[in-house]
Amino acid sequence: MNENYQTNTAELNLDSFVDEVRSLLQRQRMVEGLVTKQAGPKQEVLEMLTYRQHLAEMQNRLASRHPADIAFVLESLPMEDRTRIWDQVWKIRGGAILLELSDNVRKGILESIPRDELIAVLKQVSIDDLSTLAPSTPRDVLEEVYQSLDSQSQQWVVSSIAYPDDSVGQLVSHHFVTTRMDRKLEEVLIELRGKDLPPHLDSLYIVDARHVFLGVLPVEHLISKDPSTEVQEVMNSSPVVLSPYQKATDAAKAFERYNLLSAPVVDERNRLVGRVTVETVIDFLRKQADEDALKLAGLQGEEDIFASIWASARNRWFWLGLNLVTAFIASRVIGIFETTIIKLAALATLMPIVASIGGNTGNQTVALIIRGLTLDRISRNNIFYLFLKEIRVSSLNGLVWGGLMGLLTMILYQNFSLGLVMAAAMFLNLLVAALVGVGVPLLLDRLGYDPAQGSSVLLTFSTDSMGFFIFLGLASIFIL
Amino acid sequence: MNENYQTNTAELNLDSFVDEVRSLLQRQRMVEGLVTKQAGPKQEVLEMLTYRQHLAEMQNRLASRHPADIAFVLESLPMEDRTRIWDQVWKIRGGAILLELSDNVRKGILESIPRDELIAVLKQVSIDDLSTLAPSTPRDVLEEVYQSLDSQSQQWVVSSIAYPDDSVGQLVSHHFVTTRMDRKLEEVLIELRGKDLPPHLDSLYIVDARHVFLGVLPVEHLISKDPSTEVQEVMNSSPVVLSPYQKATDAAKAFERYNLLSAPVVDERNRLVGRVTVETVIDFLRKQADEDALKLAGLQGEEDIFASIWASARNRWFWLGLNLVTAFIASRVIGIFETTIIKLAALATLMPIVASIGGNTGNQTVALIIRGLTLDRISRNNIFYLFLKEIRVSSLNGLVWGGLMGLLTMILYQNFSLGLVMAAAMFLNLLVAALVGVGVPLLLDRLGYDPAQGSSVLLTFSTDSMGFFIFLGLASIFIL
């Protein structure tokens, strides 16, 4: 429902809006500075008026915008400016804006606003949205807002919070419209006339007297079919139906696969619980894609650009520390061969190439396997095939690139056996990369861990240690 | 429009369907084997009948499924089995299935089917879908299908193909419904009655006599508002409007931000060109997310799990080759210090730790910056702030982890200056990682390249070479 807000072609890109708010903030700050410096009473009144005028201008600019735009501006500003903007918008649309913010920024704002203000804001939002905000809200505030709800809403909030994390239950909205099988379309139309319909209503849900779900009536049918038709003649009695306990990712995949705009959610006794809409699914997919990208890079979670140094450092420490441990162990492998290296320093020069090519090619394999797992393309039927394929690709690469590098080494160091060892080590380390690259994500997935989170560190550990070991080991046997 | 296909709760997970098809294929192949082996005529007839029966069973199972499910099965099977399935489904729904396939698998199938079959399949699809399939279709086949269209459709196909890659024009559908401002809602309803409406119609578009776009009438209004109201009283005259030349990513962001189900597309003279729907946007987002994940890992594109070894190897060569070049250069940096290493082999053991911690922390920074660029959170106003922040985080990490590692080195090697050099090198390489981690993606983005594609290789190159250089350089100055 963007109809009340200004959103037009020119502003798909919000940069200019952010710039505008930023310069308004700057002017405000300048005027404030003047007010405190200049003490003359006449001057003071004048400045006060200018200040008020600036404030009004800002409020005007913000009032016309969609809550998502204001959330975007908040995310693009440092904490201090966020508070300034928030102070001017929370009374009317604080709840809607909170919902559009990313988790970390929302948390920051929730922590900075007074208790009463927070309660007022939470009372603005629908109970669907209250469930969304609940996890980041202090317990006592939530309690107070909860007490102000009627008992049906209370029950709704409790049940939606109770569903497991990342389940369909977390995405359910209770804005839906039901009707009965034996109604005529014209009767349904009369019933709906003048009602405040849920946004993006693409279908009505058909239930019986005990609220058991029977099917779906697409809204188009209300418009295009003969009004004297009965609902049961045109209804779809086998649509995609979700359970609140299903994984949200599975539901999202169904939305993508079958181009759904919404799907009914029913409990174990087939009674209608609610409705999941495509907007919620898009938000869920976006959040998941963001998290995956950051996890792969070894970050624990979303990081607010304007987070404190301390918070940012902590977000990166776990994987950094783990990486340090694995790098240390890999380095101990080299330590074993220190006497060999003293005899032929070229080994120290060449060994990072062997490790690096293994890490690079292994990470390609990891990315493909993780993607295959995400898209459900990998099952016990093709695991063997996958191993075989990656080993073959790696062998081909080992022959081509290992051979090339071996040749280059021979020429560069005028040492035939060093070249052979280089070629053999690269070939073997590429095989290690293939086996670990397929095996580690599959193993993590089987053990119930997220393969995106740890695969890359484990892979690099293996290709580094094994790369050093194979290369230095072969060298100490065949060259020295 | 999943109403005609069997899609229910139990089958959100398609594994069992794939298994079933796989076992049907196996039985088919077994029977075929028997037919050719056993020559007795009576036996032959019997086997032939069994074979036919199996074929019919398979066809039955496939016929009831959504085209997306069949596409999923095709993607999960090796090429030979794909052809078997395709032969049984193309006549009725080949076009719909092709549309659901990923680019690479689709290309494989298009290359394997005879020309006449392809033409027949392409004639099944709507002209919107024909534009989607056009890039992967041989020119002469396209020509023949094109000739069979009426002139309006021909014009449409030509114009949609002409829009730039990844522009909104590539996503436009011409299935929309228009009406006029001065109509009453009841008149509109009468007009629509009995018509075959486009799927997921959430709003009608209001145009004038010259087809100039004036606004949007949400379908809900047709149902909930008083039928005697005129369209112009309830229409939304400033919805989000797209231009066919805008970037598809910007349009997708608008869909996410404003929770759109569809958006009108107008040309430079404000005349209605078509409609972009949320299904198209979801497909676009999914494709983009997949590509980004693979690009980050150094793959050139999507890779069919069942692609040939040769095709898979080629998909990985560009970045593998580049990585080999950068690893070679980094190794030459070590080469400069070979005489130093001969004197103190511990340097060879410790140097990969310095390089590794730089690469790890730098890649975290790269991931955050790429994400910031994707979400439009980075502008010239906060670039300086970002550099400063990453330098601070890196300094903190350098002090903590560098100090720890320095201490460990002192203890391990009983060498005070080696410990100091280790700590200093780690601190400095973390600063390199921060500067390069912020700078490289920003630079690639500014130069018009995709930061996801090259940042990681360039970063690892810098942190490796600089890590080796700083560590070995400091050691040769201060220790030897």
Side-chain angles (χ1 to χ4, degrees), chain A residues 389-409:
Chain A
K389 179 188 160 192
E390 288 302 314
I391 287 173
R392 283 183 180 156
V393 173
S394 266
S395 305
L396 180 59
N397 283 335
L399 287 176
V400 174
W401 302 105
L404 196 75
M405 219 48 217
L407 210 68
L408 205 65
T409 307

PDB file of all heavy atoms in Angstrom, chain A residues 389-409:
ATOM      1  N   LYS A 389      32.951 -36.771 -10.423  1.00  0.00           N
ATOM      2  CA  LYS A 389      33.061 -35.665 -11.368  1.00  0.00           C
ATOM      3  C   LYS A 389      34.131 -34.674 -10.919  1.00  0.00           C
ATOM      4  O   LYS A 389      34.969 -34.245 -11.705  1.00  0.00           O
ATOM      5  CB  LYS A 389      31.711 -34.963 -11.497  1.00  0.00           C
ATOM      6  CG  LYS A 389      31.777 -33.799 -12.454  1.00  0.00           C
ATOM      7  CD  LYS A 389      30.511 -32.984 -12.440  1.00  0.00           C
ATOM      8  CE  LYS A 389      30.820 -31.614 -13.021  1.00  0.00           C
ATOM      9  NZ  LYS A 389      29.733 -30.672 -12.783  1.00  0.00           N
ATOM     10  N   GLU A 390      34.080 -34.307  -9.621  1.00  0.00           N
ATOM     11  CA  GLU A 390      35.048 -33.317  -9.142  1.00  0.00           C
ATOM     12  C   GLU A 390      36.472 -33.858  -9.211  1.00  0.00           C
ATOM     13  O   GLU A 390      37.412 -33.120  -9.486  1.00  0.00           O
ATOM     14  CB  GLU A 390      34.696 -32.884  -7.717  1.00  0.00           C
ATOM     15  CG  GLU A 390      33.452 -32.005  -7.622  1.00  0.00           C
ATOM     16  CD  GLU A 390      33.558 -30.720  -8.446  1.00  0.00           C
ATOM     17  OE1 GLU A 390      34.609 -30.062  -8.371  1.00  0.00           O
ATOM     18  OE2 GLU A 390      32.599 -30.395  -9.165  1.00  0.00           O
ATOM     19  N   ILE A 391      36.629 -35.156  -8.951  1.00  0.00           N
ATOM     20  CA  ILE A 391      37.961 -35.745  -9.053  1.00  0.00           C
ATOM     21  C   ILE A 391      38.463 -35.689 -10.490  1.00  0.00           C
ATOM     22  O   ILE A 391      39.617 -35.374 -10.764  1.00  0.00           O
ATOM     23  CB  ILE A 391      37.937 -37.203  -8.523  1.00  0.00           C
ATOM     24  CG1 ILE A 391      37.820 -37.167  -7.002  1.00  0.00           C
ATOM     25  CG2 ILE A 391      39.187 -37.959  -8.939  1.00  0.00           C
ATOM     26  CD1 ILE A 391      37.622 -38.512  -6.367  1.00  0.00           C
ATOM     27  N   ARG A 392      37.546 -35.935 -11.420  1.00  0.00           N
ATOM     28  CA  ARG A 392      37.948 -35.873 -12.828  1.00  0.00           C
ATOM     29  C   ARG A 392      38.326 -34.455 -13.236  1.00  0.00           C
ATOM     30  O   ARG A 392      39.333 -34.235 -13.903  1.00  0.00           O
ATOM     31  CB  ARG A 392      36.796 -36.360 -13.722  1.00  0.00           C
ATOM     32  CG  ARG A 392      36.666 -37.860 -13.727  1.00  0.00           C
ATOM     33  CD  ARG A 392      35.558 -38.263 -14.675  1.00  0.00           C
ATOM     34  NE  ARG A 392      35.412 -39.697 -14.705  1.00  0.00           N
ATOM     35  CZ  ARG A 392      34.288 -40.308 -15.058  1.00  0.00           C
ATOM     36  NH1 ARG A 392      33.237 -39.589 -15.405  1.00  0.00           N
ATOM     37  NH2 ARG A 392      34.214 -41.609 -15.079  1.00  0.00           N
ATOM     38  N   VAL A 393      37.493 -33.478 -12.841  1.00  0.00           N
ATOM     39  CA  VAL A 393      37.799 -32.080 -13.184  1.00  0.00           C
ATOM     40  C   VAL A 393      39.144 -31.701 -12.576  1.00  0.00           C
ATOM     41  O   VAL A 393      39.982 -31.073 -13.219  1.00  0.00           O
ATOM     42  CB  VAL A 393      36.682 -31.139 -12.684  1.00  0.00           C
ATOM     43  CG1 VAL A 393      37.081 -29.690 -12.884  1.00  0.00           C
ATOM     44  CG2 VAL A 393      35.377 -31.417 -13.414  1.00  0.00           C
ATOM     45  N   SER A 394      39.358 -32.113 -11.308  1.00  0.00           N
ATOM     46  CA  SER A 394      40.604 -31.772 -10.643  1.00  0.00           C
ATOM     47  C   SER A 394      41.798 -32.441 -11.319  1.00  0.00           C
ATOM     48  O   SER A 394      42.865 -31.845 -11.436  1.00  0.00           O
ATOM     49  CB  SER A 394      40.560 -32.199  -9.180  1.00  0.00           C
ATOM     50  OG  SER A 394      40.133 -31.132  -8.379  1.00  0.00           O
ATOM     51  N   SER A 395      41.633 -33.680 -11.770  1.00  0.00           N
ATOM     52  CA  SER A 395      42.726 -34.359 -12.451  1.00  0.00           C
ATOM     53  C   SER A 395      43.085 -33.609 -13.723  1.00  0.00           C
ATOM     54  O   SER A 395      44.266 -33.374 -14.014  1.00  0.00           O
ATOM     55  CB  SER A 395      42.326 -35.792 -12.805  1.00  0.00           C
ATOM     56  OG  SER A 395      41.901 -36.467 -11.663  1.00  0.00           O
ATOM     57  N   LEU A 396      42.070 -33.224 -14.473  1.00  0.00           N
ATOM     58  CA  LEU A 396      42.303 -32.469 -15.701  1.00  0.00           C
ATOM     59  C   LEU A 396      43.056 -31.176 -15.376  1.00  0.00           C
ATOM     60  O   LEU A 396      44.078 -30.854 -15.985  1.00  0.00           O
ATOM     61  CB  LEU A 396      40.953 -32.174 -16.368  1.00  0.00           C
ATOM     62  CG  LEU A 396      40.985 -31.383 -17.680  1.00  0.00           C
ATOM     63  CD1 LEU A 396      41.801 -32.106 -18.729  1.00  0.00           C
ATOM     64  CD2 LEU A 396      39.572 -31.124 -18.197  1.00  0.00           C
ATOM     65  N   ASN A 397      42.550 -30.434 -14.387  1.00  0.00           N
ATOM     66  CA  ASN A 397      43.210 -29.193 -13.982  1.00  0.00           C
ATOM     67  C   ASN A 397      44.621 -29.457 -13.491  1.00  0.00           C
ATOM     68  O   ASN A 397      45.533 -28.685 -13.763  1.00  0.00           O
ATOM     69  CB  ASN A 397      42.408 -28.497 -12.873  1.00  0.00           C
ATOM     70  CG  ASN A 397      41.189 -27.785 -13.424  1.00  0.00           C
ATOM     71  OD1 ASN A 397      41.171 -27.406 -14.590  1.00  0.00           O
ATOM     72  ND2 ASN A 397      40.181 -27.621 -12.592  1.00  0.00           N
ATOM     73  N   GLY A 398      44.793 -30.549 -12.741  1.00  0.00           N
ATOM     74  CA  GLY A 398      46.110 -30.883 -12.210  1.00  0.00           C
ATOM     75  C   GLY A 398      47.100 -31.132 -13.326  1.00  0.00           C
ATOM     76  O   GLY A 398      48.238 -30.659 -13.279  1.00  0.00           O
ATOM     77  N   LEU A 399      46.655 -31.866 -14.356  1.00  0.00           N
ATOM     78  CA  LEU A 399      47.543 -32.144 -15.481  1.00  0.00           C
ATOM     79  C   LEU A 399      47.927 -30.859 -16.197  1.00  0.00           C
ATOM     80  O   LEU A 399      49.100 -30.600 -16.451  1.00  0.00           O
ATOM     81  CB  LEU A 399      46.862 -33.110 -16.462  1.00  0.00           C
ATOM     82  CG  LEU A 399      46.753 -34.567 -15.983  1.00  0.00           C
ATOM     83  CD1 LEU A 399      45.969 -35.404 -16.982  1.00  0.00           C
ATOM     84  CD2 LEU A 399      48.153 -35.146 -15.772  1.00  0.00           C
ATOM     85  N   VAL A 400      46.905 -30.027 -16.489  1.00  0.00           N
ATOM     86  CA  VAL A 400      47.151 -28.806 -17.261  1.00  0.00           C
ATOM     87  C   VAL A 400      47.975 -27.797 -16.457  1.00  0.00           C
ATOM     88  O   VAL A 400      49.080 -27.424 -16.842  1.00  0.00           O
ATOM     89  CB  VAL A 400      45.817 -28.165 -17.695  1.00  0.00           C
ATOM     90  CG1 VAL A 400      46.080 -26.815 -18.363  1.00  0.00           C
ATOM     91  CG2 VAL A 400      45.070 -29.096 -18.623  1.00  0.00           C
ATOM     92  N   TRP A 401      47.458 -27.378 -15.305  1.00  0.00           N
ATOM     93  CA  TRP A 401      48.108 -26.301 -14.555  1.00  0.00           C
ATOM     94  C   TRP A 401      49.346 -26.795 -13.799  1.00  0.00           C
ATOM     95  O   TRP A 401      50.336 -26.074 -13.696  1.00  0.00           O
ATOM     96  CB  TRP A 401      47.124 -25.636 -13.591  1.00  0.00           C
ATOM     97  CG  TRP A 401      45.929 -25.079 -14.283  1.00  0.00           C
ATOM     98  CD1 TRP A 401      44.673 -25.600 -14.296  1.00  0.00           C
ATOM     99  CD2 TRP A 401      45.863 -23.894 -15.098  1.00  0.00           C
ATOM    100  NE1 TRP A 401      43.825 -24.825 -15.060  1.00  0.00           N
ATOM    101  CE2 TRP A 401      44.529 -23.767 -15.564  1.00  0.00           C
ATOM    102  CE3 TRP A 401      46.796 -22.942 -15.490  1.00  0.00           C
ATOM    103  CZ2 TRP A 401      44.118 -22.724 -16.383  1.00  0.00           C
ATOM    104  CZ3 TRP A 401      46.378 -21.899 -16.309  1.00  0.00           C
ATOM    105  CH2 TRP A 401      45.054 -21.801 -16.750  1.00  0.00           C
ATOM    106  N   GLY A 402      49.251 -28.014 -13.284  1.00  0.00           N
ATOM    107  CA  GLY A 402      50.410 -28.585 -12.614  1.00  0.00           C
ATOM    108  C   GLY A 402      51.568 -28.749 -13.595  1.00  0.00           C
ATOM    109  O   GLY A 402      52.711 -28.383 -13.309  1.00  0.00           O
ATOM    110  N   GLY A 403      51.233 -29.265 -14.795  1.00  0.00           N
ATOM    111  CA  GLY A 403      52.254 -29.441 -15.819  1.00  0.00           C
ATOM    112  C   GLY A 403      52.910 -28.117 -16.174  1.00  0.00           C
ATOM    113  O   GLY A 403      54.138 -27.990 -16.233  1.00  0.00           O
ATOM    114  N   LEU A 404      52.067 -27.113 -16.393  1.00  0.00           N
ATOM    115  CA  LEU A 404      52.555 -25.783 -16.762  1.00  0.00           C
ATOM    116  C   LEU A 404      53.492 -25.232 -15.696  1.00  0.00           C
ATOM    117  O   LEU A 404      54.579 -24.736 -15.976  1.00  0.00           O
ATOM    118  CB  LEU A 404      51.346 -24.859 -16.917  1.00  0.00           C
ATOM    119  CG  LEU A 404      51.596 -23.548 -17.652  1.00  0.00           C
ATOM    120  CD1 LEU A 404      51.712 -23.807 -19.151  1.00  0.00           C
ATOM    121  CD2 LEU A 404      50.459 -22.568 -17.372  1.00  0.00           C
ATOM    122  N   MET A 405      53.052 -25.347 -14.437  1.00  0.00           N
ATOM    123  CA  MET A 405      53.816 -24.797 -13.325  1.00  0.00           C
ATOM    124  C   MET A 405      55.115 -25.583 -13.122  1.00  0.00           C
ATOM    125  O   MET A 405      56.151 -25.004 -12.783  1.00  0.00           O
ATOM    126  CB  MET A 405      52.950 -24.901 -12.064  1.00  0.00           C
ATOM    127  CG  MET A 405      53.038 -23.735 -11.139  1.00  0.00           C
ATOM    128  SD  MET A 405      52.882 -22.153 -11.936  1.00  0.00           S
ATOM    129  CE  MET A 405      54.073 -21.281 -10.936  1.00  0.00           C
ATOM    130  N   GLY A 406      55.051 -26.902 -13.350  1.00  0.00           N
ATOM    131  CA  GLY A 406      56.247 -27.732 -13.238  1.00  0.00           C
ATOM    132  C   GLY A 406      57.286 -27.299 -14.259  1.00  0.00           C
ATOM    133  O   GLY A 406      58.473 -27.137 -13.945  1.00  0.00           O
ATOM    134  N   LEU A 407      56.810 -27.070 -15.493  1.00  0.00           N
ATOM    135  CA  LEU A 407      57.690 -26.643 -16.575  1.00  0.00           C
ATOM    136  C   LEU A 407      58.359 -25.311 -16.232  1.00  0.00           C
ATOM    137  O   LEU A 407      59.567 -25.128 -16.394  1.00  0.00           O
ATOM    138  CB  LEU A 407      56.845 -26.497 -17.845  1.00  0.00           C
ATOM    139  CG  LEU A 407      57.557 -26.761 -19.169  1.00  0.00           C
ATOM    140  CD1 LEU A 407      57.932 -28.235 -19.304  1.00  0.00           C
ATOM    141  CD2 LEU A 407      56.660 -26.334 -20.323  1.00  0.00           C
ATOM    142  N   LEU A 408      57.530 -24.385 -15.748  1.00  0.00           N
ATOM    143  CA  LEU A 408      58.024 -23.052 -15.388  1.00  0.00           C
ATOM    144  C   LEU A 408      59.089 -23.158 -14.302  1.00  0.00           C
ATOM    145  O   LEU A 408      60.111 -22.465 -14.327  1.00  0.00           O
ATOM    146  CB  LEU A 408      56.843 -22.219 -14.891  1.00  0.00           C
ATOM    147  CG  LEU A 408      56.969 -20.705 -15.030  1.00  0.00           C
ATOM    148  CD1 LEU A 408      57.024 -20.320 -16.501  1.00  0.00           C
ATOM    149  CD2 LEU A 408      55.776 -20.023 -14.362  1.00  0.00           C
ATOM    150  N   THR A 409      58.836 -24.066 -13.317  1.00  0.00           N
ATOM    151  CA  THR A 409      59.791 -24.253 -12.224  1.00  0.00           C
ATOM    152  C   THR A 409      61.123 -24.802 -12.735  1.00  0.00           C
ATOM    153  O   THR A 409      62.193 -24.328 -12.349  1.00  0.00           O
ATOM    154  CB  THR A 409      59.201 -25.233 -11.190  1.00  0.00           C
ATOM    155  OG1 THR A 409      57.913 -24.772 -10.806  1.00  0.00           O
ATOM    156  CG2 THR A 409      60.092 -25.322  -9.959  1.00  0.00           C
TER     157      THR A 409
END
